[in-house]
Amino acid sequence: MKASIDKDLLPMKAHYFLFNAGTAPVVPFMPPLAKQLGYSDVVVGTMYMILPIVGLLAKPLFGYIADRYHRHRFLFLAGQLITAVAFFMVMFVPAVEKPQFHCHAGVSNIRYCSNYPKDAETQLEAFYGNRTLTCNMACQMEPDMWDIVCQHWLNANPLSDCQANRTKNTLNFSTYIDMKGLIEEANGNMRCLNFLIPHDLGTIDSRNVTLYCPKDKPMFQSSCQMECNDTFINELLPDSSVINMGNAVALPEFWFFFGMLIISWIGMAVVVSIGDAICFGILGDRHHLYGRQRLCGSLGWGIFALLAGLLVDTMSKEDSIDKNYTIVFWMTLIILGFDMLASTKLKHTQTHMSANILRDVGQMFLSIRCVVFFLWCVAIGLGTALIWNFLFIYLEELAQPFDHGANFIKTLEGLVMSIQCFGGELPFFFMSGWILKRIGHVNAMSLVLFGFGVRFILYSMLQNPWYILPIELLNGVTFGLFYATMASYASIVAPPGTEATMQSLVGAIFEGIGVSMGSQIGGQLFDGVGARTTFEIFGIAAFIVFVIHVCVQFYLQRNGPAENGTVKYFAPTDAMHMLNEQEYTGLS
C-alpha cells in the first residue's frame, strides 16, 4: 500500500525544522556568551528570570490578539522576523573591558577601564602619595604568551619544562603599581587609568621575576582579574572583570544586550505559541499526530546545534577562553529567513470562534485538575531553567582542569544538544501519541518529574564532562514527552475558539513563572553553593515533587469532584478522541 503524504502539513513540518534550526545556534550559547562578556552568575540568572516574565506577558497578549482579530498568520511571520533581527543584533554587543596587563619593550603597565568616580585619580594620588601597592593578577594566557614568560620572565632551563604550561589558560602573579604616575584617558563612555609598574617587578610562585617583554616580540596584552592588597583602592576601583548587578545596570552595553534578548524572547514566544495553535488547527481531531510534526523541530535543533558548536570551536583561537560567536548569528539570520518563506505556505483558518475568550479561558482555573496541570507546568519550568541556562556553564567549569579543555568545549556542547534531540526528543516526539494513549496524560506528567530527578542527580555526580553524553538521552522524557503532553493536553481542554490563547497561557505559565523562578534560584545557588550542589538540590526537589504529584492525582482519582461548566477533564486514554464529548468520564 502506497503511503500518503498530507501536503497541508509539509509547511508546518518545514517551519518546525527551520525555526529550531535557526534558534539552535544562538539560544543555548547566550548564557555562556553573557559570562564571556563579563557578567556574573547572578546577573545571568536575573536576566533569565526576567526574560520568561516577558514571555508570560507576551504569550497571552499576542495569543488573545490572534484569536480576537484572526491575525494568526501576520503575528506568526512578524514574530519570526523580530526573532531573527534581534538575535543578529546581539553580535554587535561590545564586551565590557577588563583590566589589561600590557608589556612591551621593557615597559609594563596595567590599564583599568570602568565607570569609576570622576575624581578617582585625585583620590588615589592624595591617599597613597609616593607609595607603591602590591596587586595580585590572574591573567588569561595564549600559548605564545607562555613563550615570553618562560624565556624572559622565569629564564627557565630547560625551556621545555616551563613550556608545558602552554595548555594552561591562566597565569597568576603579583606585581607592584606606582600611585604617583597615574595616567588617565577617555575610552568611549568609560574612563581608563594606567598604572605603571616600576622596574617591571613581579612575583610568580614566591619567586621574584622581571616582567620583561622584548621589542622583537608582539605586545604582551592580556585580560586579567586584579585585586590589590588595600581596602581603599579595592572599594574605589572594584574588580571589573566580573560585573555584578549593581555595575551592570549602569552600563549602556548591558542594556543593549539585555534589550535584544527581550525582543528576541518576545518574538520566540509569539512564534512558538501561535505556531502550535496553527498546527493543532491544521491537524483537526488528529491531535495524536502533533509529536510527529514537532519532531522535525528536534531534527533541526540537533543538526544545527552540533554544527554551530563545531564552527565556533573552529573559528576561535586555539586554547583561547573567549570564543568567536560571529558565525552563529549569521546562521540564525539566514535560516529564519527561509523559515518565513516556508511559513507563507501554511493553510490555516480558524474554524471555531469564542464569544468571550477571557471568560472561556478563565473558567480553566475553576477546574481542580487543570490547576494541578498548571502547577505541574511551573515545576517543570523550574527544572528546565537549570538545564537551559546553567548546564553549559557547569560543563565549562568541569572542562577547565583538562588539557586543551577550551578547544573542545563548544564541540562537546554541540554534541550534548544533538544527543538531546536525536537520542532523546526525536524518538519521544515520534512515539508521544502512542505513549499518551497507553499511559495517559497524568501518568506521563509523573514520569517527566521522575526523569528530572534522575537527570539532576546524575549531573551532580559528574567528574569528566564527556560522561554527560549518555545522560542527555533523558531529555526525551524531560522535554520530548513533557512538551507533547503539555501542548496536546492544553489543546484538548481549550474551549473552541481559544486555541491560541490557551497555548499561550500554558506556555506563559511554564516559562513566565516556572523558568523565570528557576533561573533566579539557579543563579543564586550557583553563586552561593556551586554548580554540583545546585544540581543535587534540584534533583532531590524533583523526586519530592514527583511523590506529591502521584499522591495528589491518586486522591483526585478516588475523591475528586466532577467538573462542571464548559471545562472538561477527559480520560487520559481517550482524551484525543473525545473533544466533542460533553459528559465527564473521570480518570482512567
Side-chain angles (χ1 to χ4, degrees), residues 11-12 14-16 18-19 73 76-77 80 271 278 336-347:
M12 197 74 240
H15 157 68
Y16 279 128
L18 291 169
F19 184 73
R73 186 191 301 273
F76 188 55
L77 293 172
Q80 294 172 20
V271 173
I278 290 175
L336 289 185
F338 283 108
D339 183 28
M340 291 185 65
L341 182 63
S343 298
T344 60
K345 307 298 182 181
L346 286 170
K347 298 178 181 179

Side-chain angles (χ1 to χ4, degrees), residues 130-268:
N130 295 329
R131 292 166 54 193
T132 58
L133 291 181
T134 302
C135 295
N136 298 317
M137 310 293 293
C139 297
Q140 296 180 12
M141 296 291 289
E142 304 289 349
D144 57 337
M145 295 179 183
W146 280 110
D147 294 338
I148 295 176
V149 171
C150 293
Q151 185 173 355
H152 299 282
W153 296 13
L154 297 174
N155 297 315
N157 187 20
L159 195 61
S160 58
D161 291 346
C162 176
Q163 289 181 327
N165 291 315
R166 288 170 63 94
T167 59
K168 295 182 180 179
N169 297 317
T170 305
L171 171 66
N172 296 298
F173 65 95
S174 299
T175 189
Y176 310 92
I177 57 175
D178 191 346
M179 304 306 295
K180 66 179 180 180
L182 296 179
I183 301 174
E184 188 172 32
E185 59 178 314
N187 181 28
N189 296 323
M190 294 187 293
R191 296 178 301 279
C192 298
L193 283 172
N194 290 279
F195 298 92
L196 295 178
I197 299 176
H199 310 297
D200 301 328
L201 296 177
T203 304
I204 299 178
D205 295 331
S206 301
R207 175 183 172 184
N208 293 328
V209 298
T210 300
L211 309 178
Y212 172 74
C213 302
K215 294 181 180 179
D216 59 341
K217 299 285 186 180
M219 176 181 283
F220 188 115
Q221 181 173 323
S222 176
S223 298
C224 306
Q225 287 181 266
M226 170 181 168
E227 184 177 0
C228 298
N229 62 347
D230 190 90
T231 304
F232 182 77
I233 190 173
N234 288 333
E235 291 179 352
L236 187 65
L237 306 177
D239 181 13
S240 64
S241 62
V242 179
I243 304 163
N244 59 33
M245 201 66 221
N247 293 331
V249 295
L251 299 174
E253 52 266 47
F254 166 77
W255 288 110
F256 180 70
F257 177 51
F258 192 29
M260 290 302 102
L261 289 182
I262 288 174
I263 294 172
S264 65
W265 208 274
I266 292 173
M268 288 191 296

Side-chain angles (χ1 to χ4, degrees), residues 78-123:
Q80 294 172 20
L81 178 62
I82 289 172
T83 302
V85 173
F87 273 132
F88 186 73
M89 294 301 294
V90 172
M91 181 172 65
F92 302 102
V93 176
V96 178
E97 189 166 348
K98 303 175 183 179
Q100 298 277 328
F101 173 75
H102 295 167
C103 175
H104 186 63
V107 177
S108 302
N109 71 286
I110 298 171
R111 187 169 185 260
Y112 178 95
C113 298
S114 181
N115 290 315
Y116 54 78
K118 293 183 178 180
D119 61 344
E121 180 183 8
T122 303
Q123 289 190 52

